[in-house]
Amino acid sequence: MREFPLQAAPVWVDVPLISNQEVYMNIALIKKYHDNMPRQEAWRLAVDCLGKIGLEHIAYKRNPVLTSEERFGVMLLRAAMVRAAMILIVKPFELIPHLNDIQMVTSMLKTIDELYVSCHIYDYQWMQEKYGDL
Amino acid sequence: MKTFWERLGHAAIRMLEDSADTIVFAGRVFVRIFQRKTYSSAMREVLVNQIYFTSVQILPVFIIVSVFFGSLLIGIVFTILKDLGLTEFIGHVLMGLIVTELSPFLTVLLITLRSASAINTEMAVMKVNREMKTLETFRIDIIDYLLAPRVLNGIISIVLLSSLFSIVLLISGILFAKLIFGMNQDVYMNMLLDSTRFSDIIIMFFKCAIYGFFITLIPIRFGLRASHELTSIPVAVSRGMVNVFAAILIIEVLSLLTKLY
């Protein structure tokens, strides 16, 4: 994060969603603030991106009612909104505790691969078996 | 063990440091309000939402309170003026006391009760939920995104609502002038216009702007002082609100002193 401070985009339990904003607004916020993207355009982009990972139905929900997978998806899209995003997923199994392997995360990343430059996943050594061949 | 005077001295020093911090913080926010880069699309959206929550949602209740309270106030003031034989001072009392002093004061009390407390709680909850850290992590400036729109909304809302309060009062004055003094509408309007000084109006707007600035800035500041524990929310809110009311009184006293000299 120190090396690429403008591109670093964390997906981490310590960087939660803004609770008084709907999902689409959380995602759109990055574009509206950094790129000064007009509100409607940023909202449309957010809803389109949610559609890509099959989560458009949660666009108007707020953080407390989301499932772990939904919350992870939203945090991932929010991170991908950073310009030339270098996504850093920190301890994904802390975000989705009941997940048995990394399959769901990698497939989500593949679906939105045009939205980011690179992605790094950080976790404890003892979680290695959950990552398989990755 | 500390003596009473040592404790008092420490408390006084803490209070002075606290006030100095608040003034420095106010200065930083004030400067940002005039910087073009503050007005991103995200900030403008927050500003519009805040104005809607503070000035538009409150309108029905605010108008009802203005009509009832304003009529009562005008009725009492006019009756006293009639009893004292000071009918010719109606205009001066209306403009000098009610429009420039009471309207901003009552408006700011209403908005403090409704919006300042909400802002204070919102900030404290965001701090407890670590949402401030989220904003920092994504390089979203807290002053630009959270503070500037709320403070600007405070200024705009107090100026507009106070003007509305004054208008409602002056309109109800027409009715009471007719009922109590048998005064014609044109005579009433002429008396008002004769007593209106441009400087009074400017002072009123200026005072409203200062009220608006501080009744939003102080709750934000105290909300941001919450720790990461839920129990710090009520502490932050109660401290913030006490300080807001202290600030309202200080501004009122300063404005009266300005009028005297």
Side-chain angles (χ1 to χ4, degrees):
Chain A
M1 277 183 81
R2 280 196 203 111
E3 260 182 77
F4 302 97
L6 298 177
Q7 289 169 266
V11 178
W12 186 15
V13 75
D14 273 7
V15 186
L17 298 174
I18 307 292
S19 55
N20 64 359
Q21 292 191 353
E22 282 81 11
V23 158
Y24 74 102
M25 288 170 87
N26 264 283
I27 299 168
L29 173 62
I30 311 296
K31 288 282 180 202
K32 282 188 294 178
Y33 184 82
H34 289 295
D35 300 341
N36 206 13
M37 186 182 273
R39 190 175 58 159
Q40 299 287 347
E41 196 182 328
W43 288 354
R44 255 197 315 273
L45 176 69
V47 176
D48 286 349
C49 289
L50 281 165
K52 278 183 189 168
I53 55 171
L55 291 178
E56 64 269 49
H57 61 283
I58 62 158
Y60 300 98
K61 288 183 180 175
R62 288 190 174 189
N63 187 24
V65 299
L66 302 179
T67 64
S68 305
E69 288 89 345
E70 289 168 346
R71 192 171 295 116
F72 178 83
V74 177
M75 289 167 94
L76 185 65
L77 285 178
R78 179 183 62 179
M81 289 298 115
V82 172
R83 206 182 300 152
M86 297 174 82
I87 297 175
L88 310 169
I89 303 175
V90 183
K91 293 182 275 183
F93 295 101
E94 205 172 89
L95 281 162
I96 323 172
H98 57 269
L99 212 60
N100 292 323
D101 56 45
I102 200 72
Q103 189 62 44
M104 189 210 92
V105 175
T106 49
S107 66
M108 234 181 225
L109 281 167
K110 269 183 199 144
T111 319
I112 58 157
D113 61 358
E114 80 279 7
L115 294 176
Y116 60 91
V117 172
S118 67
C119 178
H120 301 271
I121 300 176
Y122 295 89
D123 210 331
Y124 294 117
Q125 189 72 41
W126 62 79
M127 299 294 283
Q128 202 171 8
E129 66 178 57
K130 290 209 172 196
Y131 289 87
D133 298 329
L134 191 71
Chain B
M1 196 169 151
K2 285 181 183 173
T3 64
F4 167 75
W5 294 109
E6 280 174 331
R7 281 203 301 274
L8 190 68
H10 277 296
I13 290 169
R14 244 197 338 266
M15 204 176 77
L16 280 175
E17 283 175 349
D18 213 35
S19 306
D21 280 352
T22 303
I23 289 167
V24 170
F25 186 66
R28 282 173 60 198
V29 177
F30 188 74
V31 168
R32 288 294 180 87
I33 288 175
F34 293 99
Q35 288 177 349
R36 196 185 151 91
K37 75 172 182 70
T38 304
Y39 294 84
S40 65
S41 164
M43 183 276 188
R44 292 197 304 269
E45 187 189 343
V46 177
L47 177 62
V48 171
N49 286 339
Q50 289 295 318
I51 290 175
Y52 175 74
F53 294 141
T54 309
S55 298
V56 181
Q57 273 191 339
I58 200 180
L59 268 182
V61 175
F62 189 80
I63 290 173
I64 290 168
V65 169
S66 309
V67 169
F68 277 100
F69 199 80
S71 304
L72 188 72
L73 202 67
I74 292 274
I76 292 169
V77 169
F78 279 16
T79 311
I80 292 171
L81 287 175
K82 190 185 178 189
D83 291 347
L84 296 173
L86 299 170
T87 313
E88 69 270 27
F89 292 105
I90 286 179
H92 291 289
V93 171
L94 275 178
M95 292 309 295
L97 175 72
I98 293 180
V99 172
T100 60
E101 294 299 331
L102 289 176
S103 289
F105 188 68
L106 294 173
T107 306
V108 83
L109 283 183
L110 282 172
I111 299 300
T112 301
L113 286 171
R114 190 181 180 273
S115 297
S117 52
I119 291 173
N120 201 333
T121 314
E122 187 186 18
M123 290 298 123
V125 169
M126 284 185 83
K127 187 78 187 290
V128 170
N129 283 346
R130 290 170 299 174
E131 292 169 22
M132 297 294 173
K133 191 179 172 188
T134 297
L135 295 176
E136 283 167 17
T137 306
F138 283 97
R139 299 166 295 284
I140 293 171
D141 191 295
I142 288 173
I143 293 183
D144 286 355
Y145 179 65
L146 290 179
L147 277 63
R150 280 168 178 79
V151 169
L152 208 55
N153 156 58
I155 296 171
I156 295 168
S157 296
I158 298 289
V159 169
L160 291 179
L161 290 174
S162 181
S163 306
L164 180 67
F165 198 98
S166 299
I167 291 166
V168 170
L169 278 175
L170 294 177
I171 290 172
S172 68
I174 297 175
L175 182 73
F176 278 89
K178 190 154 185 86
L179 285 175
I180 296 172
F181 301 111
M183 194 183 280
N184 172 313
Q185 186 184 328
D186 293 334
V187 178
Y188 173 80
M189 293 304 281
N190 278 336
M191 279 183 103
L192 268 188
L193 289 173
D194 286 344
S195 325
T196 306
R197 280 188 305 181
F198 186 65
S199 61
D200 280 347
I201 306 290
I202 296 296
I203 289 173
M204 185 200 89
F205 282 142
F206 188 64
K207 192 163 86 173
C208 288
I210 293 176
Y211 270 144
F213 185 85
F214 282 102
I215 67 150
T216 42
L217 184 96
I218 294 171
I220 290 171
R221 181 151 173 73
F222 279 86
L224 291 176
R225 283 185 183 175
S227 66
H228 292 299
E229 288 167 14
L230 279 173
T231 48
S232 68
I233 297 176
V235 177
V237 174
S238 64
R239 280 190 187 154
M241 294 316 289
V242 167
N243 278 274
V244 167
F245 281 105
I248 291 172
L249 291 178
I250 291 169
I251 295 167
E252 191 58 41
V253 170
L254 288 176
S255 106
L256 287 174
L257 287 175
T258 319
K259 274 199 158 181
L260 283 175
Y261 300 105

